[in-house]
């Protein structure tokens, strides 16, 4: 397993809650800085205006702030689309009732929250400790703002989570691997730029194989519209304007 976390990260103590940030630095084993000065790190994490924020240098050369905000109008609009959302269609198939869903690659939990809003029980695993901290904070703020249907987030590599929870058999497992940069000029959004720097990168084919043995109904993989990490042909795909969802049936075997 490789990890994308070779980028230097420091924790800024000036801000609303220095004690919380000191604990976070200890938990993640990261150096601390004051006013972001003195570490020369590429990414700084701070707590300001009641939320955890990452300060990072974008690929446009500008410094920008990234936080996990699940209450943006676009996230809310997406949840409001309900059964018309392509991911919801791909995951639910013809099933009507609530499903047990494992989001194997939580990221910023936008997809997991969209699925949870449909009444499904969603467990989400995030391997990167840095992303996990940002998202845990975002989920907590969403809860405080009244969003109750939320995923249950674990800081764990999903392969280890599946091995540690052998008796749990999700109906559907969803995988959203990082897309390879397309080479097109438009910059990916700020959250995606940050994920490209800090996300965990593992072996996709063994993850897919394990998930197919554990999901009771199907595995859904998000892919760019063309290409992507296709190691085995999917049973079928659902295509949107920018992405497609590849759907794989269960395979028998020990997971
Ligand atoms: C493209 S992002 C997912 C974005 C997500 N669907 C969302 O709605 O925000 C992929 C995420 O999966 C995480 N990841 C990759 N492999 C993983 C694994 N084996 N276990 C847990 N998390 C993993 C990465 O660290 C990254 O944060």
């Amino acid at each position: 397993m490789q990890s994308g976390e070779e980028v230097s990260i420091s924790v800024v103590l000036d801000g609303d809650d220095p004690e919380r940030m000191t604990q976070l630095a200890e938990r993640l084993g990261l150096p601390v800085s004051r006013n972001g000065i003195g570490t020369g790190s590429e990414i700084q994490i701070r707590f300001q205006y009641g939320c955890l924020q990452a300060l990072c240098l974008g690929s446009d050369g500008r410094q920008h702030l990234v936080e996990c905000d699940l209450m943006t109008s676009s996230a809310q609009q997406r949840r409001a689309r309900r059964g018309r959302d392509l991911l919801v269609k791909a995951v639910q198939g013809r099933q009507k009732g609530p499903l047990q869903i494992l989001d194997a690659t939580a990221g910023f939990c936008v997809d997991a929250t969209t699925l949870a809003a449909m009444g499904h029980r969603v467990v989400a695993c995030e391997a990167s400790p840095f992303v996990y901290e940002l998202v845990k904070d975002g989920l907590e703020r969403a809860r405080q703002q009244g969003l109750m249907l939320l995923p249950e987030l674990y800081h764990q590599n999903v392969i280890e989570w599946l091995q540690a929870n052998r008796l749990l058999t999700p109906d559907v497992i969803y995988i959203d691997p990082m897309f390879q940069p397309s080479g097109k000029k438009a910059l990916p959004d700020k959250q995606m730029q940050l994920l490209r720097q800090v996300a965990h990168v593992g072996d996709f084919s063994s993850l897919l194989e394990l998930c197919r043995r554990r999901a009771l109904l199907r595995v859904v993989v998000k892919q760019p519209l063309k290409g992507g990490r296709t190691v085995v042909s999917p049973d079928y795909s659902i295509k949107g304007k920018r992405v497609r969802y590849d759907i794989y049936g269960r395979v028998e075997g020990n997971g």
Side-chain angles (χ1 to χ4, degrees), residues 23-40:
Q23 286 169 5
L24 186 140
E26 280 169 13
R27 233 182 4 260
L28 302 192
L30 293 175
V32 294
S33 63
R34 290 206 171 268
N35 286 322
I37 298 167
T39 60

Side-chain angles (χ1 to χ4, degrees), residues 1 78 103-112 125-128 131 156-159 174 176-179 191-192 195 198-202 207 222:
M1 283 278 168
R78 190 160 165 216
D103 182 344
T105 50
F108 280 92
C109 270
V110 180
D111 291 331
C125 287
E126 176 50 53
S128 157
V131 177
Q156 204 164 9
N157 186 316
V158 72
I159 295 182
Y174 170 55
D176 176 6
M178 298 291 299
F179 294 170
Q191 288 186 336
M192 202 42 80
L195 284 181
V198 301
H200 173 87
V201 182
L207 176 62
K222 186 176 182 177

Side-chain angles (χ1 to χ4, degrees), residues 83-254:
R84 287 175 293 128
D85 183 89
L86 217 56
L87 170 65
V88 172
K89 279 188 191 168
V91 166
Q92 287 183 178
R94 295 209 181 99
Q95 268 72 32
K96 293 272 181 265
L99 298 167
Q100 310 270 348
I101 299 168
L102 170 63
D103 182 344
T105 50
F108 280 92
C109 270
V110 180
D111 291 331
T113 307
T114 304
L115 293 168
M118 292 297 296
H120 302 302
R121 178 174 178 230
V122 184
V123 163
C125 287
E126 176 50 53
S128 157
F130 179 73
V131 177
Y132 169 79
E133 292 289 341
L134 285 177
V135 179
K136 191 173 62 154
D137 178 67
L139 287 169
E140 189 45 44
R141 278 182 289 111
R143 189 171 288 116
Q144 284 164 8
Q145 289 173 62
L147 190 63
M148 291 303 159
L149 294 174
L150 288 168
E152 201 178 317
L153 180 67
Y154 288 87
H155 170 216
Q156 204 164 9
N157 186 316
V158 72
I159 295 182
E160 288 160 18
W161 189 91
L162 283 166
Q163 284 162 352
N165 295 282
R166 283 189 185 276
L167 297 179
L168 295 183
T169 42
D171 295 308
V172 182
I173 302 182
Y174 170 55
I175 308 174
D176 176 6
M178 298 291 299
F179 294 170
Q180 323 272 17
S182 67
K184 289 193 184 144
K185 282 216 171 121
L187 285 174
D189 69 25
K190 291 172 186 173
Q191 288 186 336
M192 202 42 80
Q193 286 186 44
L194 177 68
L195 284 181
R196 290 230 165 105
Q197 290 179 283
V198 301
H200 173 87
V201 182
D203 175 21
F204 173 68
S205 59
S206 54
L207 176 62
L208 177 62
E209 200 182 311
L210 174 63
C211 291
R212 290 188 76 187
R213 281 186 267 124
R214 284 297 285 278
L216 284 180
L217 299 173
R218 65 189 80 87
V219 176
V220 175
V221 182
K222 186 176 182 177
Q223 299 278 19
L225 197 53
K226 289 187 184 141
R229 297 170 194 258
T230 314
V231 281
V232 191
S233 296
D235 295 358
Y236 62 100
S237 300
I238 297 185
K239 291 183 181 169
K241 284 190 191 138
R242 282 196 293 263
V243 296
R244 68 169 203 271
Y245 293 100
D246 288 346
I247 289 107
Y248 295 85
R250 175 184 165 78
V251 289
E252 292 306 321
N254 292 329

